[in-house]
Amino acid sequence: MAKDVGGPDGFQTRDYEDPPPTPFFDAEELTKWSLYRAVIAEFVATLLFLYVTVLTVIGYKYKIELTVAALEFLASRGHINPAVTFGLFLARKVSLIRAVLYMVAQCLGAICGVGFVKAFQSSYYVRYGGGANSLADGYNTGTGLAAEIIGTFVLVYTVFSATDPKRNARDSHVPVLAPLPIGFAVFMVHLATIPITGTGINPARSFGAAVIFNKSKPWDDHWIFWVGPFIGAAIAAFYHQFVLRASGSKSLGSFRSAANV
C-alpha cells in the first residue's frame, strides 16, 4: 500500500507499507487459473531460455556472457530459475505450492529446450559437450561450490533489490528498469565463474543440459549446481529480509504460525 507524500527537493515519494507474507501453504491456489497460467509461462520461458543459451554455448562460446545477460534482461519478468524461486519462497513472496510447481515447470522446460538444441544441431551439440555444466580441470569441489554459492547470491540478491517495492516507492522519482541490474549481475557472474564451473547459478539450466547430454562428468559434479545455488539463494533471502529489511520477523512469525496450524 502506498500514497504520495512530499519528498526531498520537491520530489514526490510514496509512503509504503509491506504487504503481508504469502501463506506458506494455500490449497485454494490450486483452484485458480492464474497459478496454472504462471506455471505454463515458466515452462515456456525456461524452454526458450535454455534453447537459446545452449545454442549460443555450442555455436559461439566466446559470446556467452553477453548473450546470457541479454536473455536474463528479456526473461526477467519470470523466475526461470529454481534458485530464484527458492529465495522468493524463503522470503514468503510465493507459496510452497507455487514454488514447487514453478521448479517442476522450469526443469521440464529446460529439458525440452536442450532437447530441441540436440535435435536441430546434433553435430555442434556433441562437439561442445552439450552445454552441460561441470567442474573445470584444476579446480576442486570446494572452489566450484563456492563459485556457485557466491554467483547465485549476487543474482538473487540483485533480484530482491531490483524488484523491492519499498525501494521503488521510496525512489519513485528515479525510474529504474529491474531487468537492467539483473542482466548486469548475470553478466558479471559469468565473467567470474565460467572458467570454474561454466556458470550454473540456475539448477534447471544445469539439470536440463545434464539430462540430455547424459555423460558421467556432468552427473558426477551435478550436485554442486543444486546445492550451491540453493545455499546462495538462501543467504541472499536471509540478508535482504532479515538484515536490510524489517520484514524478516514478520516472515519468521508467519512460518511459525503455519507450522502450528
Side-chain angles (χ1 to χ4, degrees):
M1 182 181 297
K3 61 180 180 181
D4 291 331
V5 296
D9 303 322
F11 287 118
Q12 289 290 313
T13 61
R14 283 179 288 177
D15 187 20
Y16 180 81
E17 250 180 68
D18 279 328
T22 301
F24 176 77
F25 185 87
D26 186 7
E28 188 179 345
E29 265 195 311
L30 293 170
T31 66
K32 297 179 180 178
W33 165 242
S34 60
L35 170 64
Y36 300 102
R37 182 175 57 200
V39 170
I40 293 170
E42 287 292 326
F43 172 83
V44 174
T46 311
L47 185 156
L48 295 174
F49 177 72
L50 263 293
Y51 176 76
V52 178
T53 299
V54 175
L55 198 62
T56 302
V57 170
I58 66 174
Y60 305 95
K61 208 161 186 175
Y62 63 93
K63 294 181 181 177
I64 184 60
E65 302 96 338
L66 183 59
T67 302
V68 172
L71 286 169
E72 288 285 353
F73 177 90
L74 295 172
S76 61
R77 291 292 294 178
H79 295 184
I80 65 170
N81 185 336
V84 171
T85 301
F86 182 64
L88 293 173
F89 166 69
L90 293 180
R92 304 309 305 278
K93 306 295 186 184
V94 296
S95 69
L96 176 63
I97 290 174
R98 186 176 290 265
V100 170
L101 291 178
Y102 275 19
M103 291 182 193
V104 171
Q106 291 156 359
C107 289
L108 292 176
I111 293 170
C112 292
V114 181
F116 284 140
V117 174
K118 184 176 181 180
F120 298 145
Q121 295 285 348
S122 59
S123 60
Y124 286 104
Y125 179 86
V126 173
R127 184 185 307 171
Y128 291 106
N133 290 114
S134 61
L135 192 61
D137 294 338
Y139 293 97
N140 60 37
T141 299
T143 302
L145 185 62
E148 289 296 309
I149 291 173
I150 295 170
T152 310
F153 171 85
V154 172
L155 168 61
V156 177
Y157 173 72
T158 304
V159 169
F160 273 110
S161 297
T163 60
D164 186 348
K166 187 172 184 178
R167 184 197 60 79
N168 291 335
R170 182 193 64 212
D171 301 330
S172 57
H173 60 284
V174 181
V176 176
L177 194 59
L180 285 174
I182 295 172
F184 183 73
V186 171
F187 173 73
M188 296 305 295
V189 169
H190 273 74
L191 289 178
T193 60
I194 277 183
I196 304 171
T197 62
T199 307
I201 70 172
N202 183 336
R205 178 254 184 274
S206 302
F207 180 70
V211 167
I212 300 300
F213 190 57
N214 199 27
K215 302 294 183 182
S216 60
K217 175 61 174 171
W219 280 124
D220 290 343
D221 298 335
H222 188 64
W223 66 272
I224 294 173
F225 302 99
W226 283 91
V227 175
F230 272 40
I231 292 176
I235 296 172
F238 178 86
Y239 179 67
H240 186 268
Q241 295 298 105
F242 286 83
V243 177
L244 299 184
R245 297 288 305 274
S247 59
S249 58
K250 297 179 183 178
S251 298
L252 183 59
S254 181
F255 266 119
R256 288 173 176 169
S257 299
N260 292 329
V261 172

